[in-house]
């Protein structure tokens, strides 16, 4: 076999959502901070295209690049590459990265618990992993500070009319809609319709509402649409179904850790959830993340929360992605049948 590059990947999924991890074959990108390194990858697109585009990738795939941490407290750092964005943080991807680091032997595992500090582009996240018999069985991630942005505002969506939405940040930016009011129960056979409508709602929200992170001016758009089902009470808090539409048009298979954090921030702002309570989030395939509000937080003068999310991940394979020098599509390709227009 001949190849001009070989990228070593440990593949994983967190409660159904793919989050592969590059463990070798890629030099750290230039930049004095992890955010600058993230921004280089987003602008340059060479690595993103190679691992996300077909034939190596697909609209369903997220890939994380392990890099040496910049922050002195961090044990490892990672840059997240999603189909359309290179985001500040991702819950499912942080759970995959933690699992790969521990199950793959990159960071020594301590049983019954291992404590890590990971550096994401959006800031430090503290991880507690429940470990047993050489397996990281459940990952608890103390996410970045999250906050509600706009509450109960009108949004005109082409072909749908005017709906009422919220916007929020949970490590990434969301427009949040009432799934039941739009006729969705959040079940598997609704995935295609949720994905298509979610992209339209996200586009409309960016055009009409916008978003600006109070301490990171470079994060100035809404990434996702979260369809949130009715809430029910539990012994420790609340539970509910949700589905997140990801650009260019797919539904997250997991409950989406940043969406859980954003939804808890909205519930706290509306007086529905308090510090110490939990939120059991159920995805479109029935998988679960558990969220908890650890404390209040201040985000550039905005009142927010410090959230924790937890879930499970499993390694699915080890891959070496290669590039034959005679391959006529070295950057891969995207077609509208799966990638959208």
């Amino acid at each position: 076999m001949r190849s001009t590059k070989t990228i070593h990947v440990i593949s994983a999924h967190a409660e159904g959502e793919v989050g592969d991890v590059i463990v070798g074959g890629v030099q750290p990108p230039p930049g004095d901070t992890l955010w600058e390194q993230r921004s280089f990858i987003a602008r340059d697109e060479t690595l993103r295209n190679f691992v996300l585009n077909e034939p190596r990738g697909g609209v369903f795939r997220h890939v994380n690049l392990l890099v040496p941490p910049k922050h002195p407290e961090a044990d490892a750092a990672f840059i997240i590459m999603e189909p359309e964005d290179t985001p500040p943080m991702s819950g499912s991807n942080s759970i995959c990265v933690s699992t790969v680091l521990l199950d793959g032997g990159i960071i020594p595992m301590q049983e019954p618990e291992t404590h890590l500090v990971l550096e994401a582009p959006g800031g430090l996240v503290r991880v507690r992993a429940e470990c047993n018999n050489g397996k990281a069985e459940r990952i608890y991630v103390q996410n970045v500070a999250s906050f509600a942005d706009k509450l109960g505002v009108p949004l005109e969506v082409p072909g749908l009319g005017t709906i009422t939405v919220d916007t929020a940040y949970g490590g990434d930016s969301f427009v949040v809609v009432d799934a039941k009011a739009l006729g969705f129960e959040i079940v598997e056979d609704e995935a295609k319709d949720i994905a298509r409508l979610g992209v339209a709602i996200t586009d409309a929200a960016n055009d009409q509402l916008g978003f600006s992170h109070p301490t990171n001016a470079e994060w100035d758009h809404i990434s996702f649409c979260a369809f949130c089902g009715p809430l029910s009470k539990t012994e420790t808090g609340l539970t509910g179904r949700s589905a997140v539409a990801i650009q260019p048009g797919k539904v997250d298979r997991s409950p989406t850790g940043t969406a859980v954090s954003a939804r808890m921030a909205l519930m706290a702002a509306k007086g529905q959830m308090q510090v110490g309570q939990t939120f059991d989030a159920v995805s479109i395939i029935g998988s679960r993340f558990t969220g908890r509000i650890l404390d209040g937080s201040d985000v550039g003068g905005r009142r927010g929360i410090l959230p924790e999310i937890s879930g499970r991940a499993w390694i699915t394979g080890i891959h070496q992605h290669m590039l034959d020098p005679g391959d006529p599509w070295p950057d891969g390709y995207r077609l509208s049948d799966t990638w959208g227009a």
Side-chain angles (χ1 to χ4, degrees):
M1 292 184 293
R2 59 180 188 170
S3 181
T4 57
K5 67 172 72 174
T6 303
I7 294 179
H8 304 274
V9 174
I10 299 179
S11 295
H13 77 88
E15 301 292 351
E17 185 72 351
V18 172
D20 292 352
V21 183
I22 297 172
V23 296
V26 177
Q27 288 187 327
D32 294 330
T33 67
L34 205 63
W35 186 263
E36 289 178 0
Q37 291 180 307
R38 179 222 71 92
S39 298
F40 173 85
I41 285 177
R43 289 192 310 270
D44 178 73
E45 294 192 322
T46 302
L47 180 62
R48 285 181 49 86
N49 289 340
F50 186 76
V51 296
L52 291 176
N53 288 357
E54 299 172 41
R56 296 167 194 84
V59 71
F60 65 92
R61 190 178 302 282
H62 297 174
V63 181
N64 302 279
L65 173 64
L66 290 182
V67 293
K70 298 292 187 179
H71 196 286
E73 291 184 42
D75 298 294
F78 65 109
I79 297 169
I80 310 131
M81 292 173 281
E82 296 181 347
E84 291 291 336
D85 272 319
T86 312
M89 174 54 185
S90 167
S92 62
N93 283 291
S94 64
I95 291 170
C96 285
V97 167
S98 300
T99 300
V100 166
L101 287 170
L102 294 173
D103 288 9
I106 299 170
I107 288 180
M109 180 183 294
Q110 303 292 327
E111 297 184 13
E113 285 189 349
T114 305
H115 293 259
L116 309 173
V117 178
L118 299 183
E119 186 177 8
L124 292 182
V125 292
R126 301 183 185 278
V127 173
R128 173 171 61 90
E130 293 179 348
C131 303
N132 181 48
N133 197 27
K135 166 67 182 150
E137 294 184 332
R138 176 167 286 272
I139 305 295
Y140 296 79
V141 177
Q142 181 179 302
N143 195 8
V144 297
S146 304
F147 59 90
D149 186 27
K150 297 179 174 67
L151 300 178
V153 294
L155 180 69
E156 182 71 25
V157 182
L160 183 63
T162 302
I163 61 174
T164 300
V165 304
D166 301 323
T167 60
Y169 181 83
D172 211 330
S173 40
F174 291 84
V175 55
V176 180
V177 302
D178 183 335
K180 186 176 181 180
L182 296 176
F184 293 107
E185 298 178 9
I186 309 179
V187 292
E188 291 183 21
D189 63 5
E190 296 173 339
K192 190 173 184 179
D193 291 334
I194 288 174
R196 287 180 173 177
L197 181 58
V199 168
I201 293 172
T202 302
D203 289 344
N206 275 306
D207 289 342
Q208 299 169 41
L209 303 177
F211 176 82
S212 180
H213 193 283
T215 62
N216 183 356
E218 291 187 41
W219 202 252
D220 58 358
H221 69 275
I222 293 170
S223 297
F224 307 125
C225 178
F227 292 75
C228 295
L231 295 169
S232 301
K233 289 185 178 181
T234 67
E235 290 184 0
T236 57
L238 298 164
T239 186
R241 298 182 72 87
S242 61
V244 170
I246 299 175
Q247 301 275 17
K250 62 154 281 192
V251 173
D252 195 331
R253 276 61 172 152
S254 82
T256 313
T258 50
V260 172
S261 299
R263 191 174 185 184
M264 290 194 299
L266 285 168
M267 289 190 284
K270 296 176 182 180
Q272 297 170 316
M273 195 171 175
Q274 308 297 324
V275 171
Q277 288 188 306
T278 64
F279 172 55
D280 188 29
V282 184
S283 79
I284 198 167
I285 66 169
S287 59
R288 295 172 182 264
F289 283 164
T290 298
R292 185 162 63 103
I293 299 179
L294 299 177
D295 204 347
S297 183
D298 179 87
V299 188
R302 297 192 188 195
R303 184 178 179 183
I305 64 166
L306 184 63
E308 177 190 75
I309 51 177
S310 73
R312 304 166 298 170
W314 299 267
I315 290 175
T316 58
I318 298 175
H319 303 281
Q320 291 179 318
H321 293 306
M322 307 174 81
L323 177 62
D324 188 297
D327 189 333
W329 295 280
D331 296 325
Y333 43 83
R334 299 185 177 196
L335 294 177
S336 61
D337 59 341
T338 58
W339 286 95

